[in-house]
Amino acid sequence: MSSPPVPSPALPSPAPTAPTPPAAAPSATAHRPPGPPRPHPLHALKATAFAVGALLVLAGIGVLLHQPLLIPPLAASAALVHGAPGLSISQPRNLVGGHLLSAVTGFATLAVTGSTTWAAAIAAGLALGAMMLTRLSHSPAVATAVIVVLQAPRPVPFVPLLGLAAVLLVVVGLLPGRIGGHPVRYPLSW
């Protein structure tokens, strides 16, 4: 036998609410995330000085060896090492490995397609994909692949000089943290 159902207590009905007015359009700055913190002026000055110093050394080596082509991508690398030393793409493994892998990708593309603007675009995309797959992402290195295809330098001395220049950027990147402190120690990983 079943027992008779127990009556449930009546739930109070919700109080009537006034219609809500349409929301005002949010202002352009209402939900904008804050920008990065402003670096201390001394830190910015030190980063600038070390980046300029490293690039002057690289420019001098490039002029002596008649290889000034390396300056554009390495200038962007120096900006990452000194301006954003905590990013994974700034770490030595990514900087050196990314440039060397992109150079190899550029030379392979050049061998297959020849030196054209279209081939340079292809080499840039392939270099990006190769760096991502090998976990060597370093965005300035894409320019290295482009330079290789457009300028068709001889692999020797280009690749050894590129490797030396990338290592030099890492070595100079070590100095700010060891001279007078630095907000972010470089490198965070090798």
Side-chain angles (χ1 to χ4, degrees):
M1 261 182 120
S2 68
S3 59
V6 178
S8 62
L11 296 174
S13 61
T17 58
T20 55
S27 69
T29 58
H31 297 294
R32 186 180 310 170
R38 185 177 311 278
H40 187 278
L42 188 57
H43 167 66
L45 180 63
K46 189 187 310 182
T48 301
F50 277 100
V52 167
L55 291 169
L56 286 173
V57 169
L58 292 179
I61 292 170
V63 168
L64 287 174
L65 298 176
H66 306 289
Q67 292 288 332
L69 304 172
L70 294 173
I71 297 304
L74 292 174
S77 295
L80 284 174
V81 168
H82 295 284
L87 295 179
S88 63
I89 64 173
S90 302
Q91 302 310 305
R93 175 182 189 274
N94 294 67
L95 190 154
V96 176
H99 277 293
L100 293 175
L101 182 59
S102 291
V104 169
T105 304
F107 280 113
T109 305
L110 179 64
V112 172
T113 64
S115 181
T116 69
T117 304
W118 301 105
I122 291 168
L126 291 174
L128 173 64
M131 286 188 291
M132 290 174 69
L133 289 174
T134 57
R135 294 179 31 217
L136 292 172
S137 291
H138 184 71
S139 49
V142 172
T144 299
V146 171
I147 287 171
V148 166
V149 172
L150 291 179
Q151 299 295 321
R154 292 189 335 261
V156 177
F158 187 86
V159 173
L161 182 58
L162 175 65
L164 175 66
V167 168
L168 181 65
L169 283 180
V170 170
V171 169
V172 174
L174 297 171
L175 298 177
R178 282 129 184 101
I179 299 173
H182 198 274
V184 177
R185 187 94 169 155
Y186 181 81
L188 296 180
S189 64
W190 288 94

